[in-house]
Amino acid sequence: MSNRTPIIAGNWKMYKTTSEASAYTAEFLGLVAGVTGVEMVLCPPFTCLAEVRRQTDNSPVRIAAQNMHFAPEGAFTGEVSAPMLKEIGVTDVILGHSERREFFCENDEDLAKKVAVAIEAGIRPILCIGETDAEREAGKTEEKLRGQIEGGLAGIDADMLAGMVIAYEPIWAIGTGKTATPEIAQQAIGFIREALTGRFGAGAAGRVRILYGGSVKPDNISELMAEEDIDGALVGGASLKAGSFAQIVKFS
Ligand code: 13P
């Protein structure tokens, strides 16, 4: 176990209306009252961000948006900017989730701009990277990860890196119930830290938190967290019930 504080983040994706989010948050806060030593992040849809922020104001829970535009404002129908998120108390933002890359054509060039803009605005980016099944089968996992790191982090320096979060989410493990084994997850995340060391130096690479995401559940979180380089989890399906997400938060 490293001295990096673990982060457990729940990505709700496009689930929950504001009233559902509100009931969840009240239940979740009760379940995790008194939990220390782990950063908790809730990532609701845009429509519930302000309400969930209001409910969690007197708690250590951080709130993340699931996407953000790189421009501060402009004619970009359907998009939301960093100043808009900042004003309502959003602390983090998921960037480059594989679903955004696949269904909404997000690319590394735009993500590099988003990462830099978020950091400058004081919003912590959680940059997602990961390979497909076919890329893993073809032995191209490291090439894919290296490309996404170089592309997505093109606009930042070592100090900025240390304050952000990377999430390794192998696409074949997302929503499939096919969790990466702790060994596979450690191997990929160890490689990511090595690649970051080459680019930004050992100091910053040693401080950046790298999460695993892909079918994380209450019954597999502990073995994943036991790995040296895994600093937390980005949880999808199992974060949608306050009870199972609270169990994951209390993994140790
Ligand atoms: P699941 O936990 O549902 O596999 O989703 C993972 C994910 O995409 C989190 O961002």
Side-chain angles (χ1 to χ4, degrees):
M1 194 87 171
S2 72
N3 57 5
R4 296 179 292 267
T5 304
I7 298 174
I8 304 289
N11 175 12
W12 295 0
K13 308 193 178 183
M14 197 174 75
Y15 291 95
K16 296 195 192 297
T17 63
T18 302
S19 56
E20 289 164 349
S22 178
Y24 173 109
T25 305
E27 185 186 352
F28 179 69
L29 287 175
L31 293 169
V32 300
V35 166
T36 54
V38 52
E39 283 179 25
M40 299 173 264
V41 190
L42 295 179
C43 320
F46 285 130
T47 47
C48 336
L49 283 170
E51 173 59 16
V52 175
R53 172 73 288 172
R54 190 191 61 71
Q55 279 180 280
T56 54
D57 260 350
N58 296 315
S59 82
V61 173
R62 300 174 66 103
I63 304 297
Q66 299 173 15
N67 177 36
M68 185 198 84
H69 198 274
F70 51 78
E73 61 180 6
F76 299 109
T77 302
E79 292 290 311
V80 169
S81 74
M84 295 171 186
L85 297 174
K86 187 73 189 162
E87 190 184 76
I88 59 165
V90 165
T91 54
D92 296 39
V93 61
I94 299 175
L95 294 175
H97 191 282
S98 59
E99 288 150 15
R100 300 263 353 140
R101 293 179 190 258
E102 182 181 352
F103 305 129
F104 303 97
C105 307
E106 290 211 354
N107 59 52
D108 288 328
E109 202 181 318
D110 284 353
L111 286 167
K113 292 187 210 161
K114 293 184 181 196
V115 167
V117 164
I119 295 172
E120 276 154 26
I123 300 175
R124 182 172 69 179
I126 302 173
L127 178 69
C128 302
I129 59 176
E131 80 287 0
T132 63
D133 206 11
E135 286 161 346
R136 175 160 286 269
E137 290 299 312
K140 298 206 158 131
T141 299
E142 295 190 351
E143 189 184 318
K144 174 74 176 289
L145 296 176
R146 188 182 293 285
Q148 288 183 319
I149 291 168
E150 280 170 9
L153 301 180
I156 67 162
D157 61 24
D159 282 344
M160 291 159 100
L161 176 79
M164 67 175 284
V165 178
I166 310 274
Y168 168 62
E169 296 208 314
I171 294 165
W172 47 268
I174 296 179
T176 57
K178 228 172 100 182
T179 322
T181 61
E183 294 71 31
I184 288 179
Q186 165 59 34
Q187 200 177 34
I189 291 178
F191 169 78
I192 293 167
R193 204 177 299 282
E194 232 174 76
L196 293 172
T197 303
R199 166 89 200 282
F200 296 97
R207 289 204 300 283
V208 65
R209 260 89 53 91
I210 311 180
L211 316 183
Y212 166 77
S215 299
V216 173
K217 306 269 182 300
D219 64 6
N220 59 28
I221 182 70
S222 304
E223 59 185 25
L224 288 161
M225 292 304 295
E227 296 292 337
E228 186 187 339
D229 284 295
I230 303 182
D231 302 321
L234 183 55
V235 186
S239 75
L240 292 174
K241 290 223 157 53
S244 69
F245 190 52
Q247 269 182 278
I248 296 174
V249 164
K250 300 192 236 183
F251 64 88
S252 53

